[in-house]
Each structure stands twice: as C-alpha cells, then as structure tokens.
Amino acid sequence: MIFLFPQPKLLTDPFLQLPTENSVRVVWFTEFPGSRHLVSYGENLNQKVIAQTTKLSRIREDQKSRVGEQTEDGTVYQKPTLRDIWRHEAEVTGLTPGVRVPYQVTSVTNQGGTVKSEVFSLAAKPQPGTPLKILLTSDHQLKPMTAANLQKVTETVDNIDAVFLAGDLINIPDRASEWFDDNRGGAFFPLLQGRGNYQLEKNGVITTYTGGQLIQNVPLFPGIGNHEVMGKFSTDIDLNEQFNSPYPRQAAEKLYQNNRQKINPKNDENIKKEWLINNSFNSDTFDEIFTLPGDNKNYYAVTLGDIRLVSLYITNIWRNPGLNQNVRGRFRERDREFNQPENWGYGQHIFEPIKKGSEQYKWLQQELNSPEFKQAKYKVVMFHHPPHTLGDNILPPYTDPVQIIDRDDAGTIQMIRYEYPKSEDYIIRDVIPLLEQAGVQLVYYGHSHLWNRFVGKTGINFLESSNVGNTYGAYLGEKRRFIPPGFELKNYSAVGDPNNLEPVLPNLRPILSENGQPLPYIASNDITAFSIFDTATGSVSSYYFDTRQPDSEVVKFDEFQLEYARGNRQ
C-alpha cells in the first residue's frame, strides 16, 4: 500500500530579526515539527545553518476565528482549541556590513518531504553613516485598509531598510489565524510579506490588495500595544472575552494568597507563576513570536545606522467608556459584580509601570545616558499610547485608576467607579521630561488610528501615523469626546489635545474639510496614511492614498526635518 502525504508548505515566508554587526536572525513558521530546518545563504546558497525549533505555547483558534472552512461563528471550532505551530530560528553569521546576501529557508518533514521558500536577501546591521529609509507604521489589526496601505508603501518607496511598528499588530494575540492565515486575506504576516489577498470594496468596486514584500528582506522592530496582551486564560470562553478580561497582577497576587492552600498546597513556585499568569494577563505569544534586543522583549533599545531606537512598553487595557449598569468599563464596575472583586475589571489599568521609580523608568534613565544613545545622530522613541493626539484613545489620562466605592448608610455598595487624575499622567509627568532632557527628536506612537503631529515646547516632534485601516475620529471643533457626567472635569478634555499642544498643519498637501479648509489630521475610513523616516536627509515624510480611487496616485502631504542633536541637552 502506498501512503500519499500532503505536500508540505511553510506557514509564513521567513522574516528578519535582531541584526548585529555581523549577523541576523531568520525566523519562519510551519504547522509540522519537522526533522530538519535550515537556512542556505551566500553565493550559490552554498552555506548552511541549522535552525532551532520551538512550539508556540498559547496559540489557538476559537468560535470567532476566520480560518480554513470557518466563515461563520462556531462552524468548525466550538471553543478555544490549541493549534500546533512551530517556530524556526537560525542565526546567519559572518556577514559584512553593507553587503546584502541571498538566502533561502528549507523545512523537511518527518516523512522526508521538503519545502523551500523563495530566495530573499539579508544583511547585517547597517553602520553609522549608512542612509536608511524606515517605515513607521502601527495598528494593523486586520483592518480594511492595511493591505492597501502596505502595498502602496512598496509601490511608492524604493529600498525600505527596516520597519518600526508601534504596537497593535493584530486584534487577539492568541488567535493564530490573525497572525498567519485569516481567510479574509488580511493576516499580519501575509500583509508584511506581500502575500495577502484582501478584497476592499469602495463605491461598489472591489480591489484586491496583497500588502507589501518587506520583512523577508529587512528587519522588523515591533513595539507592544494593548492588542498584544491577553487577559485571563480559559479553555471555554471565546478568545475575544479572554482578551478583554485582563486582571491587575497585584490583585491576582492577593487572590492567590487568599486561596493558596487550595491552588498550590505544596507551595510549588512553578504552579504559582502559571496561576498568576493565567489569572491576570500575559504577552507570551508576542514574546514567543519575536526575537528582540535586550533581556526584556517588551521594552528595548537598538542602534540602526544613525538611529538609536528606544521602544517602550507604554500601554493599558482599553475598556468601554459607557456608564450602563452592565458595563465593566474604564469608569465603573458592573452592578451585579459589586461584591465579587474577583470579577472586577479595575478600570483602564496599566500593564507595565513606567512611572518614576519603576523598573522600566530606571531602565529608560540608564538607556538615555548610555554612550549608544548619546552618540546617535537621530534619537527616536516609540511606544503605543499617545502623549499628544486629537484622537479618542488618549482619554483617560495615562495613570493608575483611582477606585472610589460609594456606599449607603448601611454599608451597601452603590457604585464602584474610577477616576484618573490628569496631574498624575505618567507619560506627561515622568517620561516626556526625560526625553526632552536627553535631546530626543522624534516620539512615534499609535492607538487612535489617525494621522496627526505636534511639536513640543523643546522641539520634540510627536507623530501619530496609525491610520492604516480605520479611524476612531479626530476631536476638534464641533466633535467632542465622551466625558462621564459627575466626574472631575479637570481630568478630561472633550476637544483638542488634552496635553495642550496645537496640531501642526501638514505643510505640503493637507486634506481639506467639506468647506474647503485644510485639516491638521487624517481621520478617515477611506484615506490611508503611512510615514517614512529618511536618515540621508533627516526627513520624515507622510503619504496618503485614497482607496476610493484605486488608480489614483499616492500623495506626499507632509514632511519635516529632525534636528541633528548630539548628546544630552543641558
């Protein structure tokens, strides 16, 4: 009897991580463990290096996945189900800066089947003085215009050298298909590798976009956003609900201590660690997928040519702003859970502290005083949550929620609500003064799905260029953010930038309002924007593309220069 095994295939093309002065990592994924995985590189691909293989530990599909034959809820997966995916990583060494080298990956199954990628090219980390073009992007999230956005990047700009991505790569970090093969054609890796197949309909016309071939040939440096963080683990509840159910680590620790004898009677440290992760939040899938600089993947620094990039873990859980009695939101708990603290959401709590004195803050201080940072021509800081924006997601202020429990005379809880003192916004109060003192020229971020920029009082450029798929609006003029009635109004701003900077009007070809006035932002579900940092000129250029006109030109609408500032300011 002859057994025919299906032809093996790679789940992704290879992509590049962690370049050094003489090496770079090549990473790819398969749905089989395989017997051998390797990278062939160099002239005639005659040099070989074997990859190390690991299995992703938390990646799953569920009722709401759009993968394979499942195009409606629950037709294939009735509950969260582990999906077997293996990650392969090989370090290619002996590289010469400035010299690109062809490479190809090969995976061999346990049955002897072989699958190869196409031939791409890689290079060591560029040396100071090397002109670079960096794509600044964020908030992909399988949004409708992301494929068109990335395709227009590669059609418009030649020779991108790296991708800086300011968080929110996908929607649900443990849902495998969002990374690899969502059947709507807009998963994360396919779009950054030019292998997407997203059909965008505008005015009755359907256009198929593939994204852009980028990360097979240039390194990707992602920051972490709120959509890279999962909440409480469950084997039954759908992944959306798990994502929306993070619990502060400190509160989980308290629950653990109160129930330690039942949870962990033998006081096993591994059991404790796993319980705390499963009952609070984690970024395990993000950490397992990417190889990033330093010991802490969620904040890091790296030198690339003339750039010192500092990527920070500045993000919190997004919660519903509503005040309905059934909302576990940013401003209140659900009525029915007033006496169930294990079910509280604790407002829009922060995942990793950045306030003065925290470990991340001290790390940032050290980094800003390092020779690598001081000597860099261009000092760029990237994180997810906006310090300045016209968007909605800047509210409430970036601080720890202050819980207020209102009780009647008998002690019965009437309301559990949360305030966010603006005076304690950690980004504005603690982080920005450090960046100003250190001579940072560009702070890049996302989160509100729009384009706008600002210039601080000391000359820092603040850029939000995250309108790659959809927008949550710009609040200027008549449009007002929701401010909860009865709360401290001084903490919340209905219009404009809550932190008191005026938006800069695009200086080339701004979008016009309905009455013909130039707008200082792009907040559109039809027009998508991207930005390019060119170190040869020190310029940051922003472009837009109107998806309602698939044959239209990409328009450069804004450009500004980064001041050359060596060393820390005094």
Side-chain angles (χ1 to χ4, degrees), residues 409-428:
D409 292 341
T412 303
I413 296 175
Q414 300 298 301
M415 174 63 75
I416 301 176
R417 57 193 175 93
Y418 297 94
E419 285 275 13
Y420 301 81
K422 185 176 181 180
S423 62
E424 297 180 24
D425 185 307
Y426 302 138
I427 302 176
I428 300 303

Side-chain angles (χ1 to χ4, degrees), residues 166-168 222-226 228-229 283 286 298 311-315 384:
D168 281 9
I224 188 167
N226 55 298
E228 279 69 67
V229 183
S283 59
F286 176 84
N298 293 339
S311 180
L312 299 175
Y313 188 0
I314 298 182
T315 191
H384 186 63

Side-chain angles (χ1 to χ4, degrees), residues 232 245-248 251-252 255 259 275 279 328 333 336-346:
K232 295 179 185 178
S245 300
Y247 198 69
L255 276 180
N259 297 278
W275 190 93
N279 288 275
R328 181 201 291 141
E333 300 289 359
R336 66 177 182 268
E337 294 173 345
F338 282 169
N339 294 303
Q340 300 171 334
E342 68 276 10
N343 292 329
W344 292 352
Y346 287 93

Side-chain angles (χ1 to χ4, degrees), residues 383-425:
F383 48 83
H384 186 63
H385 194 93
H388 299 283
T389 186
L390 300 176
D392 191 34
N393 283 340
I394 197 168
L395 289 189
Y398 194 82
T399 188
D400 294 311
V402 177
Q403 187 182 74
I404 300 168
I405 301 179
D406 299 322
R407 300 176 185 270
D408 62 16
D409 292 341
T412 303
I413 296 175
Q414 300 298 301
M415 174 63 75
I416 301 176
R417 57 193 175 93
Y418 297 94
E419 285 275 13
Y420 301 81
K422 185 176 181 180
S423 62
E424 297 180 24
D425 185 307

